[in-house]
């Protein structure tokens, strides 16, 4: 029997706009770190950490994040 889709997923999708105006859409952030008094601010820190790890692995610096908004 097929399962009904859940109304709450584990992740929230965000669009990230960088200082050089590059856009990365649908970046996944765990729902559990969001909410509370900080709202979506923890998503920015999470995405910056991911970008830092990607930059270290690729050897190319990432641009700074200008805007983070829900998709």
């Amino acid at each position: 029997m097929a399962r009904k889709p859940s109304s709450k997923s584990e992740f929230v999708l965000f669009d990230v706009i960088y200082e050089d105006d590059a856009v990365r859409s649908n970046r996944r952030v765990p729902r559990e770190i969001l909410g509370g008094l900080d709202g979506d601010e923890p998503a920015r820190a999470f995405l910056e950490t991911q970008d830092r790890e990607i930059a270290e692995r690729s050897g190319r610096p990432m641009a700074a994040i200008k805007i983070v908004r829900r998709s």
Side-chain angles (χ1 to χ4, degrees), residues 5 9 11 13 17 22 31 34-35 39-40 51 68:
S9 70
F11 297 97
L13 300 177
I17 302 170
R31 182 176 297 278
L34 301 174
D40 290 343
D51 283 353
V68 175

Side-chain angles (χ1 to χ4, degrees), residues 16 18 24 27-28 46-63 65:
V16 180
Y18 294 90
R24 303 288 184 267
R27 299 277 304 268
R28 295 177 5 162
F46 180 82
L47 294 167
E48 287 173 344
T49 301
Q50 274 188 342
D51 283 353
R52 193 169 24 260
E53 291 171 2
I54 293 168
E56 287 173 5
R57 290 180 186 161
S58 70
R60 293 188 291 165
M62 299 290 286
I65 293 175

Side-chain angles (χ1 to χ4, degrees), residues 1 4 8-9 17 23 26 29 42 44 51 54-55 65 69-70:
M1 180 174 227
K4 289 185 180 179
K8 292 206 175 204
S9 70
I17 302 170
V23 178
N26 298 326
V29 175
R44 182 184 194 104
D51 283 353
I54 293 168
I65 293 175
R69 64 176 176 228
R70 288 185 185 228

